Each structure stands twice: as structure tokens, then as C-alpha cells.
Amino acid sequence: MAINDSDISSALSAYIECYPDEATLLTEPLLLLSQGRDFASRRTFPMHVTAGALLVRSDVRGDAEILLVEHRAYGITLQPGGHLEPTDTTLIGAAVRELTEETGVDPGMVFPASQTPVYIEYGQVPARPKKDEPDHYHLDIGYAFTTAHADVGRIQESEVHGAAWYPLAVAERLVGHRIARAVSAPA
């Protein structure tokens, strides 16, 4: 069964339970979700849900590295992720799908660090007339994953310019505090 608003609300509730200090930042999306408007669909405005993945591996010294992509549309480096598809049945599954699509990582080498999201961000997205999208908001729900040996494969060139492993400190400067949560995700 496809992801529905109840699944999204459950993920938000689990996240707020782990990170109660962020509840006020999520007041508006929680209010929108209470209206029940199929926020899994990319055609739902003013908000819809996206899924992201923070993949962590240890480098040869045992230090954490994070896999990031150079996003084509936004022109910045960030974690893999994107819109939900009608065939997605779980948010964490959508995050793995986006990770493997964009980076070519073998999904058999990726393991969830937690079933609870490690970040949820509510951010404005500018209008994209070519895609018939007005200004709107993404509720990006991100999960942490670990790997021992996964590496970048064939990237999704229509969405990303490249994908690479970054040391934790560099990844935090590029993407922000949510990176550290990937390394210390609650079990």
C-alpha cells in the first residue's frame, strides 16, 4: 500500500518524541497534515513530502564519512533524496530508493541505523514553471543508514552532477547539524 498521511504523521510523531525541542519548528506541517490531503503526492500544494538518506561508513582510519550528492536543480551539495513515488510503501524505503537511484550504491550494502527519522526539515521551494509547480514547501523526512563497503556506482545524471564520500566535519559544514545525527542515530 502506498504511503499515506497517517504514515507521515506517525513518522513526525516518532521524530518529535526523539527530538522534542524541534516540535515548534514543525507546527505548520503538523497542522497541514491534520487536513488529510495526500501529502505523499508531489502534486499536493502548498506542501508535500520528500525522503532523504544519510549514509555513513567508516574510512580506513575508522572515522565517519557521509555520502553526499551535488544536486543539479539546486546547485548545492546535500544528502541524497527526493519526491515520493506512488510505488513507495514506506518512508524509509523511499529514502533507500532515492539513495540508490541518485548514487548507484548497491541497496544490499545499506542498512538502516534506526527506523526513526534523524531529521525532518520544512523548507520553502521556489516555483518551477517548467514542472508546473508554484512556490511550495517540502517536508523532508530523512533516515540514517550505515554501510561497511558500499561505494558510488552509476549516478542519476538527470538529478545530480556527482556523488562522493565526505569526512564528517566537511559534511557538517556543507549540510548542517543533521549529519551528526546520522552517526549517532537512536536504535
Side-chain angles (χ1 to χ4, degrees):
M1 177 175 277
I3 297 167
N4 60 41
D5 291 347
S6 177
D7 299 325
I8 297 163
S9 292
S10 293
L12 253 73
S13 294
Y15 179 79
I16 290 170
E17 191 172 314
C18 285
Y19 307 105
D21 54 320
E22 294 188 28
T24 51
L25 299 173
L26 299 171
T27 301
E28 189 170 341
L30 283 167
L31 179 62
L32 288 168
L33 275 166
S34 71
Q35 299 172 6
R37 297 183 37 216
D38 187 21
F39 292 101
S41 170
R42 118 178 254 162
R43 301 304 310 159
T44 301
F45 302 106
M47 174 188 87
H48 51 259
V49 172
T50 58
L54 293 171
L55 182 59
V56 181
R57 77 171 185 189
S58 294
D59 67 12
V60 293
R61 296 178 312 275
D63 296 326
E65 294 180 304
I66 310 292
L67 183 59
L68 299 176
V69 297
E70 296 171 38
H71 198 275
R72 190 173 290 277
Y74 298 137
I76 59 174
T77 301
L78 60 128
Q79 72 281 358
H83 291 94
L84 304 180
E85 300 289 339
T87 55
D88 291 327
T89 58
T90 65
L91 290 164
I92 199 166
V96 170
R97 178 187 52 74
E98 284 290 338
L99 170 68
T100 60
E101 282 177 1
E102 290 184 357
T103 68
V105 165
D106 178 353
M109 304 286 285
V110 173
F111 305 95
S114 171
Q115 294 296 311
T116 301
V118 293
Y119 73 85
I120 297 182
E121 292 184 338
Y122 182 62
Q124 190 168 13
V125 178
R128 295 178 72 187
K130 289 182 181 178
K131 292 195 174 206
D132 192 30
E133 293 179 353
D135 286 340
H136 61 282
Y137 290 85
H138 281 174
L139 182 64
D140 189 34
I141 301 176
Y143 292 88
F145 301 91
T146 61
T147 186
H149 306 291
D151 209 351
V152 174
R154 184 176 176 185
I155 64 168
Q156 186 179 33
E157 292 179 2
S158 63
E159 304 242 346
V160 300
H161 289 290
W165 293 97
Y166 290 81
L168 178 60
V170 174
E172 283 182 310
R173 278 196 307 276
L174 291 168
V175 179
H177 73 279
R178 65 181 173 260
I179 295 295
R181 287 188 183 162
V183 176
S184 61

